Structure formats: structure tokens, C-alpha cells
Amino acid sequence: MPLVVRTWNVFHGNALPPRRRGFLREMIELICDDSPDVVCLQEVPVWGIARLEEWSSMQALAVVARSPRVPGRAGVRVTRWNQGFFRSAFVGQANAVLVARSLTAEDRGHLQISDSGRERRVVQAVGVGGSYVIANLHANRGREVAESELKRARAFAEAASRVDEIVVLAGDFNLRDFQLDGYSASAAGIDHILLQGASVSAPLVWPTERRERDGAVLSDHAPVEVTIW
């Protein structure tokens, strides 16, 4: 059966341009509304991890990339004074992989891919349906830096895969116009879903109007999706 995979950097739940209020719930409900099989998320506020399964109706596996500076509800309350301004300054951020409840999901661990002194970035690996390993990553800016972090993420994902599993690399790569040897073609922009070992559709970047809600454009990134056969 085809597998629909999406990735979205949710910009800490912000709109574009940022507003005082956040839109994280609207984002999760939107990206999961038509029942995709796998959704990879980046820049999820840490407080939102506990809400992902409720809002998505999917299994949620998350890893914290940067811990909150202000623990508990206090950081959330401060951020809500002006979501667009504070972003993740107090509440931290996480990566998360959402998996349809009809599929098995197995945590295969995570790895810090950033060097010491840079903003902490991670890749997480999730086994899906006994046939795929999904690696969800968020790389730092700067081409050489992003390429180095992608190299680490790729090595981790391939090591986390099992015999005959299809390796999928998804997330915010912070890279444009590149080709990863042995993997499918990259998308336009900096968000990608690459895989080896299966047929895949051309990457679809959502048009802006598809992520508009109540006059707001959700996130400064567009979701990207592919269908794997």
C-alpha cells in the first residue's frame, strides 16, 4: 500500500508574519486532517508534545532538541504574552514523528547532529510498519554546517535501519539545490523528504493558500509531502 509522508517545520506554532497568539493546535489538526501515514515535525514547543496525540489522532514520538529555559507552566504563560516575539525562547523546542494508529511505530533513538557551540539540533529515528525507518532532522543554517549535520543524520538513519527497510530522511535540512547520493530528488526550498530503496512521487510543496486559517498563514515553512510505493 502507498505510504503518505509529510514534513513541516511549525515555526514554534507561529503564523507568518508572527502574531501575539499561537496556532500550534490548528497546525497539527491541519497537517493530519486527511489521515496521512507519517508526519515529521520540527520546532514543536516542548509543552506541545503532550498534546500531539490528542490533536492529531496519531501516535506521537518526540525528542527534545532544546530544553525549556523556564520549566512548567510558567514558560508557557510568559510565551503567551506574545507568541510571535518569544517563540521558543522560554519553552524550548522538539522534533516529533506522528504515525497512523494502523501502523506499528518503534523508537529507534536519536542523535545530536550539531557541533558544540551551535544551536542543538537532533535527528530521531522511528521504525514504521516493519518496512521503513523514518529519520526526522532539523539542521542548522549555513551550507557547510547543514551538509555536515545531514551527513551525520544519514549515517545514524542507515545504522538504525534493519534488513530490507526503506530509509526515509525528512525534515528541515536548511539546504537548497542539492542531491544526496543514493536518495531521491530534493524538493524546492529547504524542507525535504528523501528516500532510498523504493519508488516515490515527486515532492509536493503545499501552496500558501492550503495553510491559511482565519486570515493567517501558518508557519514560515510550507509542508512537503511524498507518496511512497
Coordinates of all heavy atoms in Angstrom, one line a residue, residues 10 12-13 24 42-52 55 62-73 75-76 79 83 87-96 120:
V10 N 7.0 23.8 12.1 CA 5.8 24.5 12.5 C 6.1 25.9 13.2 O 5.2 26.5 13.7 CB 4.9 23.7 13.5 CG1 4.4 22.4 12.7 CG2 5.7 23.2 14.7
H12 N 7.4 27.0 15.8 CA 7.0 27.2 17.2 C 5.5 27.5 17.4 O 5.1 28.0 18.4 CB 7.8 28.4 17.8 CG 9.3 28.4 17.4 ND1 10.2 27.5 17.9 CD2 9.9 29.3 16.6 CE1 11.4 27.8 17.3 NE2 11.2 28.8 16.5
G13 N 4.7 27.2 16.4 CA 3.3 27.5 16.4 C 2.9 28.8 15.9 O 1.8 29.3 16.1
L24 N -0.5 26.4 17.2 CA 0.0 25.1 17.1 C -1.1 24.1 16.9 O -1.0 23.1 16.1 CB 0.8 24.8 18.3 CG 1.5 23.4 18.3 CD1 2.5 23.3 17.2 CD2 2.2 23.1 19.7
Q42 N 9.1 19.7 13.1 CA 10.3 20.4 13.7 C 9.8 21.7 14.4 O 8.7 22.2 14.0 CB 11.4 20.7 12.7 CG 11.8 19.5 11.9 CD 11.0 19.2 10.7 OE1 10.6 20.2 10.0 NE2 10.6 18.0 10.4
E43 N 10.6 22.1 15.3 CA 10.3 23.4 16.1 C 8.9 23.3 16.8 O 8.1 24.2 16.8 CB 10.4 24.6 15.2 CG 11.8 24.9 14.7 CD 12.0 26.2 14.1 OE1 11.0 27.0 14.0 OE2 13.1 26.5 13.6
V44 N 8.7 22.1 17.4 CA 7.5 22.0 18.2 C 7.8 22.5 19.6 O 8.8 22.0 20.2 CB 7.1 20.5 18.3 CG1 5.8 20.3 19.2 CG2 6.8 19.9 16.9
P45 N 7.0 23.4 20.2 CA 7.2 23.8 21.6 C 7.2 22.6 22.5 O 6.3 21.7 22.3 CB 6.1 24.8 21.9 CG 5.6 25.3 20.5 CD 5.9 24.1 19.6
V46 N 8.1 22.5 23.5 CA 8.1 21.3 24.3 C 6.8 21.1 25.0 O 6.4 19.9 25.2 CB 9.3 21.4 25.3 CG1 9.3 20.3 26.3 CG2 10.6 21.4 24.6
W47 N 6.1 22.2 25.4 CA 4.8 22.0 26.1 C 3.8 21.3 25.2 O 2.9 20.6 25.7 CB 4.2 23.3 26.6 CG 3.9 24.3 25.5 CD1 4.6 25.3 25.0 CD2 2.7 24.3 24.7 NE1 4.0 26.0 24.0 CE2 2.8 25.4 23.8 CE3 1.5 23.5 24.7 CZ2 1.8 25.7 22.9 CZ3 0.5 23.8 23.8 CH2 0.7 24.9 22.9
G48 N 4.0 21.4 23.9 CA 3.0 20.8 22.9 C 3.1 19.3 22.7 O 2.2 18.7 22.2
I49 N 4.3 18.7 23.2 CA 4.5 17.3 23.0 C 3.3 16.5 23.6 O 2.8 15.5 23.0 CB 5.8 16.8 23.6 CG1 7.0 17.4 22.8 CG2 5.9 15.3 23.6 CD1 8.3 17.2 23.5
A50 N 2.9 16.9 24.8 CA 1.8 16.1 25.5 C 0.4 16.2 24.8 O -0.5 15.5 25.0 CB 1.7 16.7 26.9
R51 N 0.3 17.2 23.8 CA -1.0 17.4 23.2 C -1.0 16.8 21.8 O -2.1 16.8 21.1 CB -1.2 18.9 23.0 CG -1.2 19.7 24.3 CD -2.4 19.4 25.2 NE -2.5 20.2 26.4 CZ -3.0 21.4 26.4 NH1 -3.6 21.9 25.3 NH2 -3.1 22.1 27.5
L52 N 0.1 16.3 21.3 CA 0.2 15.9 19.9 C -0.8 14.8 19.5 O -1.4 14.8 18.5 CB 1.6 15.5 19.5 CG 2.6 16.7 19.4 CD1 4.0 16.1 19.2 CD2 2.2 17.7 18.4
W55 N -4.4 16.0 19.4 CA -4.8 16.9 18.3 C -4.6 16.2 17.0 O -5.3 16.6 16.0 CB -3.8 18.1 18.3 CG -4.0 19.0 19.5 CD1 -5.1 19.1 20.3 CD2 -3.1 20.0 19.9 NE1 -5.0 20.1 21.2 CE2 -3.8 20.7 21.1 CE3 -1.9 20.5 19.6 CZ2 -3.1 21.7 21.8 CZ3 -1.2 21.5 20.3 CH2 -1.9 22.1 21.4
A62 N 8.4 11.8 20.2 CA 9.1 13.1 20.2 C 10.4 13.1 20.9 O 10.6 12.2 21.8 CB 8.2 14.2 20.8
V63 N 11.3 14.0 20.6 CA 12.6 14.1 21.3 C 12.9 15.6 21.4 O 12.7 16.4 20.5 CB 13.7 13.4 20.5 CG1 13.9 13.9 19.1 CG2 15.0 13.6 21.3
V64 N 13.3 16.0 22.6 CA 13.6 17.5 22.8 C 14.9 17.8 22.3 O 15.9 17.2 22.5 CB 13.5 17.7 24.4 CG1 14.0 19.2 24.6 CG2 12.1 17.5 24.9
A65 N 14.9 18.9 21.4 CA 16.1 19.4 20.8 C 16.8 20.4 21.7 O 18.0 20.5 21.9 CB 15.9 20.0 19.5
R66 N 15.9 21.3 22.3 CA 16.4 22.3 23.3 C 15.5 22.4 24.4 O 14.3 22.6 24.2 CB 16.6 23.7 22.6 CG 17.3 24.7 23.5 CD 17.6 26.0 22.7 NE 16.4 26.8 22.6 CZ 15.9 27.2 21.4 NH1 16.5 26.8 20.3 NH2 14.8 27.9 21.3
S67 N 16.0 22.2 25.6 CA 15.1 22.1 26.8 C 14.6 23.5 27.2 O 15.2 24.5 26.8 CB 15.9 21.6 28.0 OG 16.3 20.3 27.8
P68 N 13.4 23.6 27.8 CA 12.9 24.9 28.2 C 13.8 25.6 29.2 O 14.4 25.0 30.1 CB 11.5 24.5 28.9 CG 11.2 23.1 28.4 CD 12.5 22.5 28.2
R69 N 13.9 26.9 29.0 CA 14.6 27.7 30.0 C 13.8 28.0 31.2 O 14.4 28.2 32.3 CB 15.1 29.0 29.3 CG 16.1 28.9 28.2 CD 16.5 30.2 27.6 NE 17.4 30.1 26.5 CZ 17.8 31.1 25.8 NH1 17.5 32.3 26.1 NH2 18.7 30.9 24.8
V70 N 12.5 28.1 31.1 CA 11.6 28.3 32.2 C 10.7 27.1 32.3 O 9.9 26.9 31.4 CB 10.7 29.6 32.0 CG1 9.8 29.8 33.2 CG2 11.7 30.8 31.8
P71 N 10.8 26.3 33.3 CA 10.1 25.0 33.3 C 8.6 25.2 33.6 O 8.2 26.2 34.2 CB 10.8 24.3 34.5 CG 11.3 25.3 35.4 CD 11.7 26.5 34.5
G72 N 7.9 24.1 33.2 CA 6.5 24.1 33.6 C 5.6 25.1 32.9 O 5.9 25.7 31.9
R73 N 4.5 25.4 33.6 CA 3.5 26.3 33.0 C 4.0 27.8 33.0 O 3.5 28.6 32.2 CB 2.2 26.3 33.8 CG 1.6 24.9 33.9 CD 1.1 24.5 32.5 NE 0.1 25.4 32.0 CZ -0.4 25.4 30.7 NH1 0.0 24.4 29.9 NH2 -1.3 26.2 30.3
G75 N 6.8 29.1 31.8 CA 7.3 29.4 30.5 C 6.2 29.6 29.5 O 6.3 30.4 28.6
V76 N 5.2 28.7 29.6 CA 4.1 28.8 28.6 C 3.3 30.1 28.8 O 3.0 30.8 27.9 CB 3.1 27.6 28.8 CG1 1.9 27.8 27.9 CG2 3.8 26.3 28.6
T79 N 5.3 33.0 27.4 CA 5.3 33.0 25.9 C 4.0 33.5 25.3 O 3.9 34.2 24.3 CB 5.6 31.6 25.4 OG1 6.9 31.2 25.9 CG2 5.6 31.5 23.9
Q83 N 3.4 35.4 21.6 CA 3.9 34.2 20.9 C 4.9 34.5 19.8 O 5.9 33.9 19.7 CB 2.7 33.3 20.4 CG 3.1 32.1 19.5 CD 3.5 30.9 20.3 OE1 3.1 30.8 21.5 NE2 4.4 30.1 19.8
R87 N 8.6 33.1 20.8 CA 8.8 31.9 20.1 C 9.2 30.8 21.1 O 8.4 30.4 22.0 CB 9.9 32.1 19.0 CG 9.5 33.1 18.0 CD 10.5 33.2 16.8 NE 10.2 34.3 15.9 CZ 10.8 34.6 14.8 NH1 11.9 33.8 14.5 NH2 10.5 35.6 14.1
S88 N 10.4 30.2 20.9 CA 10.8 29.1 21.8 C 11.8 29.5 22.9 O 12.5 28.7 23.5 CB 11.4 27.9 21.0 OG 12.6 28.3 20.3
A89 N 12.0 30.8 23.1 CA 13.0 31.3 24.0 C 12.9 30.7 25.4 O 13.9 30.5 26.0 CB 12.9 32.8 24.0
F90 N 11.6 30.5 25.8 CA 11.4 30.0 27.2 C 11.0 28.6 27.2 O 11.2 27.9 28.2 CB 10.4 30.9 27.9 CG 10.9 32.3 28.1 CD1 10.2 33.4 27.4 CD2 11.9 32.7 28.9 CE1 10.6 34.7 27.6 CE2 12.4 34.0 29.0 CZ 11.7 35.0 28.4
V91 N 10.3 28.1 26.2 CA 9.6 26.8 26.3 C 10.4 25.7 25.6 O 9.9 24.6 25.6 CB 8.2 26.9 25.7 CG1 7.3 27.9 26.6 CG2 8.1 27.4 24.3
G92 N 11.5 26.0 24.9 CA 12.3 25.0 24.2 C 11.6 24.5 22.9 O 10.5 25.0 22.6
Q93 N 12.2 23.6 22.3 CA 11.7 23.0 21.1 C 12.0 21.6 20.9 O 13.0 21.1 21.5 CB 12.1 23.8 19.8 CG 13.6 23.9 19.6 CD 13.9 24.6 18.3 OE1 13.5 24.2 17.2 NE2 14.6 25.8 18.5
A94 N 11.2 20.9 20.1 CA 11.4 19.4 19.9 C 11.1 19.0 18.5 O 10.5 19.8 17.7 CB 10.4 18.7 20.8
N95 N 11.6 17.8 18.1 CA 11.2 17.2 16.9 C 10.1 16.1 17.3 O 10.2 15.6 18.4 CB 12.4 16.4 16.2 CG 13.4 17.3 15.7 OD1 13.5 18.5 16.0 ND2 14.4 16.8 14.9
A96 N 9.2 15.8 16.3 CA 8.3 14.8 16.6 C 7.9 14.1 15.3 O 7.8 14.7 14.2 CB 7.0 15.4 17.2
R120 N 21.6 23.4 19.5 CA 21.5 22.0 19.5 C 20.4 21.5 18.5 O 19.3 21.9 18.5 CB 21.1 21.5 20.9 CG 21.2 20.0 21.1 CD 21.0 19.6 22.5 NE 21.1 18.2 22.7 CZ 20.1 17.3 22.6 NH1 18.9 17.7 22.4 NH2 20.4 16.0 22.8

